[in-house]
Amino acid sequence: MPARLQAVLKRVGATIAGFSFAQKTVSVLALLVLALGVTGLSVWLSQPQYVPLFSGISASDASAITTQLHTDNVPYQLTDGGATILVPQAQVYQERLKAAAANLPSSSNQGYSLLDNMGVTTSEFQQDVTYKRAMEGELASTIDAMQGVKTASVKLAIPQPTVFTDQAQDPTASVFVDESAGTTLTPAQVQAIVHLVSSSTVGMKPTDVSVIDAAGNVLSTTGGTAAGSTGDQAKAYDSAVQSSVQSMLDKVLGSGNSTVVVSALMDNSTSTKTTDSYSIPTGAPQTSSSSQKETYTGTGAAAQSGVLGTSSTTNGVANTAANSGGNGSYSSDSTTSDNALNKTSVTQQIPAGGVQRQTVSVAVDSAAATKAGVSTSQLQTMVANASGIDTTRGDAVGVQLVNFSQANAQAAKQALAQAAAQTQQAQLDSWIRTGLIAAGIVVAMIVALLVFRRRRGNAEVDGGDRYEELAAPTLAFHQVTPPTVPLTTPPPSPVSIESEQRRAEIEQLAVDDPRRAADFLLSLMGEKETTP
């Protein structure tokens, strides 16, 4: 072993030997923590990184794929309730190719691939059914690709074509959607599904599509209802009206001085309304015209004749009557003209969810109303305008001035005071704890510094005394006149034995503290040169 390396090892050993018990304990713990960290890091780095092999697959496909992975001795992990399979990144592409060769995962929505197996002898009925199945599969596959959709199924009801337009029916569709775990489809996504299905089928309108989820909730119904039931719509309407009225009253009376309750009755039925309107075009010619003229002359009674010297015209008819000896005459002209007319027909689909009737009940603290200077009639007018009250459909508004209970306000005030006191106490405790920790650290550092300085001072004193003790006999040893060596070697004298012990101690001191030993030897050499 090289001398330099031996010196370094000796110096390290000497340094460790000089550690106290606490320093040795801390050093051992630090080495253990370092070893554990290195071991954990190496284990984490040696583990493979898992990536998805397939996602959103059925239970049967997951079982077949995991069986294949067992056969290939490939580790895997299952997540998302078994719908996602994770494998090491280095083997993902190889396993995907093997799964594709085994036709995994199998797709239940075959789509237009069904048309590839049709033969020449296929009947028209089979062609229609196969084409409908292909459309259903394509639509289901497209909906499966949407975020949050686990599986989807589409059923189309396409009526037979007819030449009678009054008997023609629109096609309808029903969509079943199984949402992913922890996911809920938004109304925008539901409407997207509705428009996707309706736009893909000839003659289908968005109002002809219904969407249902796996829990049995109707997300969209035929007839144009929005996503959600009418009960949800009523709750949303009540909440919106109540929020607007309450916000207005809080600004007028102050927060907590009023309460609002809204109850709306929604219409659950859907209907179709057709309105016809007619107008005469400007400058249009007459399509047909007819005229009729009647004349009568004869003798009649005086009571049946007209008044002497009187004539009248009514609607283009001239009536002339004369009383002369009971004789009279009668003539009539009638003209009928037919003009061209414009006819406009408007058909309107009325979906469910319309408001049939609503009532608004408001309770106001009388003290707050008096302080704000508003009367009951003013409050009733403001509430009616803010909630959109329509008296023609039977809407009603009720505003009452009452004395609010102050128990809840007092309890809330006490709770706020207690919460503020607890917060202050917790902050004070945190400051005290932090201060104690900081003070403990400072005290520990001061104690460690004092102990270190004391040990260093003791070591310097002990080293100087030891060097002085060793120096006296050594100098004496160098100044002694060497005796005459006899012919026979005598046993070692006690002085020589003591000198050897001193020499060994000096060598040990040179190993423990080389710098001080070197200084001591230099001082000895200087004394030796000055000795006469």
Side-chain angles (χ1 to χ4, degrees):
M1 184 179 295
R4 184 173 297 178
L5 180 60
Q6 289 182 357
V8 171
L9 293 177
K10 289 182 179 179
R11 184 175 297 178
V12 172
T15 303
I16 296 175
F19 283 178
S20 63
F21 179 76
Q23 292 175 339
K24 291 181 180 179
T25 303
V26 172
S27 301
V28 171
L29 292 177
L31 291 175
L32 290 177
V33 171
L34 180 62
L36 290 175
V38 172
T39 304
L41 181 61
S42 60
V43 171
W44 180 73
L45 292 176
S46 62
Q47 288 182 352
Q49 184 179 2
Y50 284 83
V51 296
L53 179 64
F54 294 105
S55 300
I57 58 178
S58 61
S60 58
D61 291 340
S63 176
I65 294 173
T66 53
T67 302
Q68 175 185 334
L69 295 176
H70 276 298
T71 304
D72 298 340
N73 293 325
V74 176
Y76 64 90
Q77 296 177 358
L78 295 177
T79 59
D80 195 13
T84 302
I85 301 178
L86 305 177
V87 297
Q89 187 176 9
Q91 299 172 330
V92 60
Y93 299 108
Q94 179 181 358
E95 293 302 322
R96 282 182 182 175
L97 292 176
K98 290 184 178 181
N103 196 20
L104 292 174
S106 60
S107 176
S108 58
N109 302 321
Q110 298 183 8
Y112 289 123
S113 61
L114 293 172
L115 303 178
D116 299 335
N117 301 325
M118 294 180 62
V120 180
T121 59
T122 304
S123 63
E124 183 178 0
F125 175 75
Q126 291 177 338
Q127 292 179 359
D128 294 340
V129 173
T130 304
Y131 178 70
K132 188 179 72 171
R133 289 178 56 198
M135 290 184 61
E136 293 173 351
E138 290 293 333
L139 290 172
S141 300
T142 305
I143 296 173
D144 284 343
M146 293 183 64
Q147 185 178 3
V149 177
K150 184 178 180 181
T151 57
S153 176
V154 180
K155 301 299 179 184
L156 300 177
I158 302 176
Q160 295 294 330
T162 178
V163 296
F164 302 102
T165 56
D166 56 345
Q167 297 179 2
Q169 298 179 354
D170 295 335
T172 58
S174 60
V175 182
F176 172 80
V177 178
D178 186 8
E179 302 167 340
S180 302
T183 304
T184 302
L185 294 180
T186 62
Q189 290 178 312
V190 175
Q191 292 301 318
I193 294 174
V194 169
H195 287 283
L196 172 67
V197 175
S198 63
S199 301
S200 303
T201 308
V202 179
M204 183 180 296
K205 299 186 291 294
T207 55
D208 297 328
V209 181
S210 62
V211 182
I212 302 173
D213 64 0
N217 299 320
V218 179
L219 305 180
S220 179
T221 60
T222 56
T225 48
S229 62
T230 54
D232 296 336
Q233 295 179 11
K235 292 179 181 178
Y237 180 83
D238 294 345
S239 178
V241 174
Q242 179 179 357
S243 177
S244 61
V245 175
Q246 188 67 61
S247 176
M248 178 193 66
L249 293 177
D250 288 344
K251 292 180 180 180
V252 175
L253 303 173
S255 179
N257 294 321
S258 62
T259 179
V260 181
V261 177
V262 179
S263 177
L265 180 62
M266 312 296 287
D267 188 4
N268 299 330
S269 61
T270 59
S271 60
T272 302
K273 180 181 179 181
T274 303
T275 304
D276 296 335
S277 59
Y278 300 91
S279 61
I280 301 176
T282 304
Q286 296 181 358
T287 58
S288 62
S289 177
S290 62
S291 61
Q292 183 180 1
K293 183 177 181 180
E294 295 180 358
T295 302
Y296 174 77
T297 302
T299 301
Q304 296 178 354
S305 61
V307 181
L308 180 61
T310 302
S311 63
S312 62
T313 302
T314 304
N315 296 331
V317 180
N319 299 325
T320 303
N323 188 2
S324 178
N327 296 327
S329 63
Y330 172 80
S331 63
S332 175
D333 293 333
S334 177
T335 303
T336 302
S337 300
D338 295 332
N339 297 325
L341 296 177
N342 290 336
K343 179 181 179 181
T344 304
S345 297
V346 178
T347 301
Q348 182 182 6
Q349 297 286 344
I350 302 177
V355 179
Q356 290 183 334
R357 184 176 180 271
Q358 70 170 342
T359 57
V360 181
S361 300
V362 179
V364 178
D365 187 10
S366 57
T370 304
K371 183 178 180 180
V374 291
S375 61
T376 305
S377 59
Q378 291 176 339
L379 292 173
Q380 188 167 359
T381 302
M382 289 189 295
V383 171
N385 294 332
S387 58
I389 295 298
D390 186 2
T391 57
T392 58
R393 65 185 180 188
D395 295 353
V397 177
V399 178
Q400 296 293 331
L401 298 180
V402 295
N403 294 324
F404 277 21
S405 175
Q406 301 298 327
N408 294 333
Q410 295 296 332
K413 186 181 296 185
Q414 293 179 0
L416 290 175
Q418 292 178 359
Q422 291 178 359
T423 303
Q424 293 178 357
Q425 185 64 32
Q427 188 175 7
L428 181 60
D429 294 342
S430 177
W431 289 348
I432 293 174
R433 190 182 304 108
T434 304
L436 291 177
I437 293 174
I441 294 174
V442 172
V443 171
M445 292 177 63
I446 294 174
V447 170
L449 181 61
L450 293 176
V451 171
F452 176 74
R453 293 183 63 181
R454 180 174 296 179
R455 287 185 178 180
R456 184 175 179 180
N458 294 335
E460 292 179 354
V461 174
D462 294 343
D465 296 342
R466 190 172 183 182
Y467 280 118
E468 292 176 357
E469 293 176 358
L470 293 174
T474 303
L475 293 175
F477 172 76
H478 284 289
Q479 294 176 359
V480 172
T481 304
T484 304
V485 179
L487 296 177
T488 59
T489 303
S493 62
V495 176
S496 61
I497 294 174
E498 185 177 359
S499 299
E500 291 296 332
Q501 292 179 353
R502 297 290 184 181
R503 187 185 300 276
E505 291 179 358
I506 292 174
E507 292 178 355
Q508 184 64 33
L509 286 175
V511 173
D512 294 341
D513 195 349
R515 183 176 179 181
R516 192 175 295 276
D519 295 338
F520 178 70
L521 291 176
L522 289 175
S523 63
L524 290 178
M525 292 174 64
E527 291 178 0
K528 185 176 181 180
E529 291 178 355
T530 56
T531 302

